[in-house]
Structures are given as C-alpha cells and as structure tokens.
C-alpha cells in the first residue's frame, strides 16, 4: 500500500461543504474576519487561500492520484480500486465523493469564500494608488474564481443553486436549483465583469493569478458546453456565441502553439514539461517535484503506473500519413501495430518495447512491467508517458517545476472549430475551421484535413482531434457527456507473448451505461440538508 502522505505537492481541500463552519479565512487560520480584511495584504492572503483550495486536474479522483480520464474510455485505473467500482456502475448519491472527490462541497466552500470577499472588499482600505489597483484586481480575481468553481459544479452535476452572498450557520437551508440557462447567465455575468477589470497579463511575480485571457478561456469552454446536445437543442445562435467567445480570445494574439523542436513527438510532449510556455493560458504551479514521474512511470523504472491507456485510445491514433489505421491505404501493419503511427502517439503512450531511461518496457507475461494484477502494473498493456519528464530519475534525481494545466491554446482552436462547424451547414462557409484544425495537425507532424468535408464528417474529425490532442487533460470525461454519447461497452487491452511477436486483444472491462450517467448524482448529504432536487435517475 502506498503512503499517500508522501505526495506533499497535491493541493488539498480541507472544507467539505457550505453547511460547515469554515471561517478559516486565510493561511493563518486563527485570525477573525475583521482582521482578514483589515489591510490589503491580509485581503490578498485571503484570496491566495482560495487559490490554494482549487482542484488539480491530475488528481481529481477519490484516491488523490488518478485523473477523471481513467473514468473515461481513455484510461483504466491501476491502483485506484474505487475507480474500478465507478467504471462498473457502482456509484450513487451516497458514495459519489469516494470516486470523484467532494467536488460539490469543495466548490461551494470556495464559492462562499468568494462571496465573503466580494462583500468585504469595498470596506478594505486602499492607502495609495498601488493598493487601489490591487483592490480592483482582487475583485476581478474573485469573480473569476467564483465562475471557475460554479462551472466545475455545472459541468459535473448540472444545474446549481445560485448563491451570490454568504450562507451562515443560522440560515434556513431549503435551496432550489436554478435553471441551466440561469446558471450559465450568472457565470457569464461574472466573467464579463472580470474581463473588463483584469489585465491581459502579469509580471512574473503574479504569474498564475486570474487575468483577462483566463476569463475568456473559461467563457469559451462554458459556452461550448452550454451549446452542446446535453444542455441545448441544436441552436445555431448558441454555437455562434460559443465560436465568438473562442475567437475573442484568439484575437488577443497573446499565445502560440509550442513548436520549437524539430522532433514532433518531443515537440508535443514538451508542452507539459517546459514550464510556463507560451501555449499555456492558465496553469497551477505545483512546485518542484517528480509527482508525475512517480505516478506514471512503469514499475521497472520505479513508478506506480497509475494510469493504463486503453487499446480503444491507441486504435484512435492515425498513421503518420494522417490516415486511420482501418483505412486500407494507411499502410498500417497489424503485425507491427506501433510502427509508423503519428507523433502524438509516441509522446503519449508507452507500449511493449518502448524504452524508458534505457530500460525496455516488457508487458508480456513474466516481463518486468507485465499485466499481473499488482497495484502498479498496467491493466491494458500500456503506460502513460504524456506528462513525464524522462530526464528525472525517481530514485535519485531532483524534481522539476510541475504544472497542472487548465487551459491552453490548442483547446481554444478546437472549441472554435467545433462551435463554428455546428453553427454552419457547411464547414466551407468558415475557412477558419480548417485553419485552426490544420494548425494543430501541422504542429503534430500530420498532413492537413482533406477538403470538402461535410458538416458531419468535420464533426467527426474535430471530435477525433479533441480526443488525441487533449487526451488525459480532463476533457474526454466531459466530452462524452456533453455530446450525449453512450460511453459504456468494452474497454480493451493487449497481451503480447514472451517473444513479443504475437499478441491478443483482450477485454479488460465491460462498462455499463445509462443516460442518467451524463450528470453525476448530487451527494446525498447535500440533498438531505438543502432538500434540493436530485438529478434524474439518481433519486
């Protein structure tokens, strides 16, 4: 059993719901509210405390080690036993926190703090021009933080009760959930106000604080989700609004695709290893360490192999010529399935025969990284390479600056392309659809999309690019749902023989599906206290 305490860089959330007394107002938890807002410095410390409680994309599940992507068809959990229960459908209102963490309670804890901040901020003295500017900035940051936390609730649970002021312990809890459109409008109002207040960028000492671009990226994702089939009937106007939000951010001309390395596989991989590079719109600085390497290295390199990419995902990677592997003209050879694939495959997945720090991965029975049922062994025949810096020796080497990336430019290109394609009857009506997708493919070393695609063909091409480009970045879990896909069925792996000459494709899991799974159940303890409506199918 692993010692979870050794992961010191994971940002822990210590509050579990808005019904608790969490007047823990700042890093110094012993000060009272009057002291917390007595000076601009104390107020900024209060805001820092809210940032410190935000979720980390790579550790969203109930074990603190695994991503939500292991609860999609991209990955299969190894150590995370409760993830296997989740994927088997064994979750509900009474235990949902065990699988995805207490996202509902943690989010409303942060929302309550932002409401207190917005209430108290006008009373904080500003003694000079610098403090007046800080005061204005902190209001914009508070609006962004509240928007981010509310959107976290919206995308996971759907409709929420809009609370724009604090709820105290003596308040009567009988809280209805607002309509979905009202929730979106509330978040949009906050974001638009924050966009008007916040600067486009900051000096290095303020790196990571909410800025205009972060607000615009969140707005882009929010409106894309709001226009999607799960949340709206097909509405060209909503898709147009989502496309405009993405284009507004792109028109800042503030970011560029990371494209500094000739080797396209390493070029793509470097996005996640080169600290604060210009493709990233917002990341959380997790400090210096080697948590990703510890979590994802194969066991032969002293790793924990926490995530096993699936055969389902591997089969989605095209050949280097841009053709699907089931295309007779692709050149794919089933006897050599890892030869000639597109560069992002090699940057993302370790497979039988891959080399990690001079060690060859052996996933065949009896091999050093075999599928054998151990906590740290792959369950599918694959290990996750994407976020790892392979210069790091887990046993003896120093760590590196780690990032949890929430928004990057490639997503905004994809957001625009999807929204504009859905808003138009023919993708040829908007040449930017092709332009933005092809920019991503060119960076990945792939040829452009074929011209003359129909709307449906372009939709499938965009969905493919999202799956490959954004894999293991906490998108697939939500894309499956907002597109109203049936994400049940067989999860596949691969077993090689000891000579690595032959293999068998196996079914490692058979996951159930029900339409109620498009939204998670609200934790039952919240329903009991607030008496709000539970999501359909989870009553």
């Amino acid at each position: 059993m692993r010692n979870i305490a050794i992961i010191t860089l994971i940002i822990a959330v210590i509050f579990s719901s808005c019904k608790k007394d969490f007047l823990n107002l700042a890093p110094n938890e012993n000060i009272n509210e009057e002291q917390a807002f007595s000076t601009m410095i104390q107020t900024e410390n209060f805001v820092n405390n809210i940032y410190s409680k935000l979720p980390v994309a790579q550790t969203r599940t109930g074990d603190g080690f695994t991503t939500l992507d292991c609860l999609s068809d991209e990955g299969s959990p190894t150590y995370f036993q409760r993830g296997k229960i989740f994927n088997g459908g064994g979750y509900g209102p009474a235990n949902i926190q065990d699988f995805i963490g207490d996202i509902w309670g943690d989010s409303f804890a942060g929302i309550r703090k932002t409401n207190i901040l917005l209430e108290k901020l006008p009373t904080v003295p500003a003694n000079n021009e610098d403090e007046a500017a800080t005061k204005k900035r902190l209001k914009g940051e508070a609006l962004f933080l509240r928007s981010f936390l509310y959107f976290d609730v919206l995308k996971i649970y759907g409709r929420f009760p809009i609370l724009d002021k604090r709820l105290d312990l003596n308040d009567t809890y009988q809280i209805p959930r607002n309509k979905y459109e009202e929730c979106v409008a509330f978040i949009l109002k906050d974001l638009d106000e924050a966009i008007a207040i916040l600067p486009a960028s900051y000096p290095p000492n303020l790196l990571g604080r909410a800025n205009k671009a972060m607000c615009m990226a969140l707005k882009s994702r929010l409106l894309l989700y709001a226009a999607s089939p799960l949340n709206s009937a097909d509405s060209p106007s909503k898709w147009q609004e989502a496309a405009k939000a993405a284009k507004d951010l792109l028109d800042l001309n503030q970011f560029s695709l990371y494209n500094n390395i000739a080797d396209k596989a390493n070029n793509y991989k470097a996005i996640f290893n080169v600290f604060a590079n210009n493709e990233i719109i917002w990341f959380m600085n997790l400090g210096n360490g080697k948590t990703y390497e510890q979590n994802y290295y194969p066991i032969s390199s002293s790793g924990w192999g926490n995530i096993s990419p699936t055969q389902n995902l591997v089969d989605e990677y095209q050949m280097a010529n841009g053709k699907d592997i089931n295309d007779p003209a692709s050149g794919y050879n089933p006897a050599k399935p890892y030869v000639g694939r597109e560069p992002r495959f090699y940057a993302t997945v370790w497979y039988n025969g891959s080399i990690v720090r001079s060690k060859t991965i052996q996933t065949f029975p009896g091999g050093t990284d075999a599928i054998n049922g151990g906590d740290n062994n792959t369950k599918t025949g694959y290990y996750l390479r994407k976020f790892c810096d392979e210069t790091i020796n887990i046993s003896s080497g120093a760590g590196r600056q780690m990032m949890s990336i929430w928004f990057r430019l490639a997503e905004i290109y994809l957001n625009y392309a999807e929204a504009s394609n859905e808003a138009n009857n023919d993708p040829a009506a908007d040449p930017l659809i092709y332009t933005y997708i092809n920019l991503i493919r060119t960076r990945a070393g792939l040829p452009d999309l074929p011209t003359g695609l129909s709307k449906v063909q372009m939709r499938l091409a965009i969905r493919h690019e999202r799956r490959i480009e954004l894999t293991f970045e906490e998108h697939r879990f939500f894309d499956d749902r907002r597109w109203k896909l049936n994400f049940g069925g067989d999860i596949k792996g691969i077993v090689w023989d000891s000579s690595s000459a032959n293999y068998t494709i196996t079914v490692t899991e058979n996951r159930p599906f029900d339409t109620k799974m498009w939204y998670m159940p609200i934790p039952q303890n919240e329903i009991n206290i607030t008496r709000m409506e539970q999501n359909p199918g989870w009553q």
Side-chain angles (χ1 to χ4, degrees):
M1 183 63 66
R2 308 174 198 186
N3 182 0
I4 295 178
I6 72 173
I7 304 299
T8 60
L9 293 173
I10 293 174
I11 298 176
V13 179
I14 60 174
F15 310 120
S16 63
S17 117
C18 62
K19 62 185 178 293
K20 295 185 180 179
D21 182 8
F22 43 81
L23 269 179
N24 308 74
L25 296 174
N28 176 1
E29 305 291 1
N30 296 319
I31 68 172
N32 60 35
E33 183 170 313
E34 181 179 355
Q35 293 169 321
F37 298 102
S38 60
T39 67
M40 198 59 66
I41 291 176
Q42 289 282 43
T43 304
E44 193 153 14
N45 285 340
F46 181 88
V47 178
N48 293 343
N49 184 254
I50 301 174
Y51 278 103
S52 75
K53 303 300 189 288
L54 293 179
V56 178
Q58 279 72 31
T59 56
R60 292 274 272 185
T61 56
D63 71 337
F65 291 96
T66 313
T67 74
L68 288 180
D69 306 294
C70 275
L71 309 182
S72 78
D73 62 357
E74 286 182 347
S76 184
T78 55
Y79 171 75
F80 184 31
Q81 298 297 322
R82 285 173 291 180
K84 301 167 191 175
I85 298 171
F86 180 98
N87 288 333
Y91 64 96
N95 64 354
I96 186 61
Q97 299 100 315
D98 293 340
F99 306 104
I100 63 172
D102 189 11
I103 294 172
W104 181 280
D106 293 340
S107 294
F108 275 101
I111 289 163
R112 182 176 188 271
K113 283 195 165 189
T114 61
N115 286 337
I116 292 172
L117 173 61
L118 290 166
E119 171 193 324
K120 301 297 291 186
L121 193 58
T123 70
V124 178
N127 298 315
N128 52 53
E129 288 186 7
D130 286 346
E131 290 197 345
T134 298
K135 187 172 182 176
K136 180 180 179 181
R137 170 173 60 80
L138 292 180
K139 180 180 180 181
E141 291 186 37
L143 292 168
F144 169 80
L145 289 166
R146 185 165 71 178
S147 299
F148 180 82
L149 291 164
Y150 264 133
F151 180 61
D152 222 25
V153 174
L154 185 70
K155 68 186 181 183
I156 292 169
Y157 304 100
R159 300 179 299 114
F160 55 76
I162 295 174
L163 305 175
D164 60 359
K165 64 180 182 66
R166 75 168 89 190
L167 284 182
D168 290 318
L169 295 179
N170 58 354
D171 286 347
T172 300
Y173 289 97
Q174 189 166 2
I175 307 172
R177 297 167 69 187
N178 287 77
K179 296 178 181 178
Y180 185 90
E181 294 77 11
E182 293 172 336
C183 296
V184 172
F186 180 81
I187 298 173
L188 277 179
K189 180 177 179 296
D190 273 2
L191 286 174
D192 284 339
E193 186 174 356
I195 288 168
I197 291 173
L198 291 170
S201 61
Y202 289 118
N205 64 307
L206 294 177
L207 192 66
R209 304 191 78 91
N211 60 28
K212 189 186 302 290
M214 287 162 54
C215 295
M216 296 172 81
L218 180 57
K219 181 176 179 178
S220 169
R221 195 183 294 182
L222 167 69
L223 289 176
L224 185 78
Y225 280 41
S228 296
L230 179 61
N231 302 312
S232 176
D234 189 22
S235 169
S237 63
K238 288 186 177 180
W239 287 115
Q240 288 166 0
E241 190 179 8
K244 182 180 184 304
K247 188 64 165 57
D248 287 345
L249 173 53
L250 296 175
D251 285 346
L252 292 179
N253 293 317
Q254 190 175 331
F255 305 94
S256 58
L257 293 179
Y258 189 89
N259 202 18
N260 298 345
I261 303 173
D263 182 334
K264 295 301 182 181
N266 287 329
N267 199 17
Y268 174 74
K269 194 168 182 296
I271 300 166
F272 314 98
N273 296 155
V274 176
F275 188 73
N277 66 79
N278 203 47
E279 180 165 342
I280 302 172
I281 299 169
W282 182 36
F283 70 93
M284 295 175 66
N285 185 351
L286 303 185
N288 189 273
K290 44 193 174 183
T291 303
Y292 291 138
E293 291 72 33
Q294 180 71 78
N295 279 356
Y296 304 140
Y297 269 10
I299 57 175
S300 60
S301 296
S302 303
W304 290 341
N306 271 340
I307 294 177
S308 301
T310 64
Q311 188 69 45
N312 311 57
L313 173 65
V314 168
D315 288 344
E316 285 290 314
Y317 284 93
Q318 295 177 331
M319 299 297 286
N321 59 16
K323 298 183 183 297
D324 295 337
I325 63 172
N326 57 7
D327 185 333
S330 70
Y332 175 70
N333 181 356
K336 298 179 179 180
Y338 310 133
V339 174
R341 304 298 284 272
E342 69 143 287
R344 288 176 295 188
F345 168 72
Y346 301 107
T348 304
V349 178
W350 277 312
Y351 49 88
N352 185 60
S354 291
I355 297 176
V356 185
R357 295 187 54 81
S358 302
K359 293 182 179 179
T360 300
I361 294 178
Q362 302 173 351
T363 64
F364 53 79
T368 54
D369 305 287
I371 302 174
N372 64 7
D375 278 350
N376 300 345
N377 292 72
T378 177
K379 299 299 178 281
T380 63
Y382 300 103
Y383 290 88
L384 180 62
R385 182 184 185 189
K386 181 168 179 173
F387 302 105
C388 296
D389 182 341
E390 290 156 66
T391 66
I392 292 175
N393 184 320
I394 293 174
S395 302
S396 60
R400 44 97 178 196
Q401 286 291 104
M402 299 187 303
M403 304 176 290
S404 174
I405 299 172
W406 281 109
F407 301 112
R408 62 184 178 96
L409 180 61
E411 181 205 342
I412 308 305
Y413 283 151
L414 290 162
N415 289 356
Y416 178 89
E418 179 181 346
S420 185
N421 185 62
E422 297 299 335
N424 291 285
N425 291 324
D426 182 353
D430 181 3
L432 286 177
I433 297 172
Y434 279 95
T435 297
Y436 291 151
I437 296 297
N438 288 336
L439 282 172
I440 292 171
R441 289 175 65 83
T442 298
R443 191 266 297 277
L446 289 171
D448 289 351
L449 290 176
T451 57
L453 296 180
S454 69
K455 179 175 181 173
V456 171
Q457 289 172 325
M458 180 60 82
R459 177 187 296 146
L460 295 176
I462 291 168
R463 291 183 178 185
H464 167 82
E465 288 300 323
R466 285 188 71 91
R467 184 172 192 182
I468 298 302
E469 176 70 21
L470 304 177
T471 190
F472 296 106
E473 295 180 54
E474 201 180 275
H475 288 278
R476 182 68 176 178
F477 181 89
F478 297 107
D479 284 347
D480 276 345
R481 288 163 169 78
R482 67 182 180 86
W483 292 330
K484 297 180 73 172
L485 299 183
N486 178 339
F487 47 79
D490 290 345
I491 298 299
K492 298 177 182 179
I494 189 169
V495 178
W496 288 86
D497 66 17
S498 58
S499 68
S500 296
N502 299 292
Y503 62 84
T504 302
I505 301 298
T506 63
V507 174
T508 62
E509 301 175 62
N510 185 274
R511 297 180 183 175
F513 169 77
D514 190 288
T515 57
K516 70 180 182 180
M517 296 176 179
W518 286 331
Y519 278 122
M520 294 294 98
I522 297 172
Q524 189 60 44
N525 62 310
E526 302 290 346
I527 297 292
N528 294 342
I529 291 169
T530 63
R531 290 169 285 181
M532 73 179 69
E533 175 190 359
Q534 180 59 273
N535 277 329
W538 295 109
Q539 295 87 345

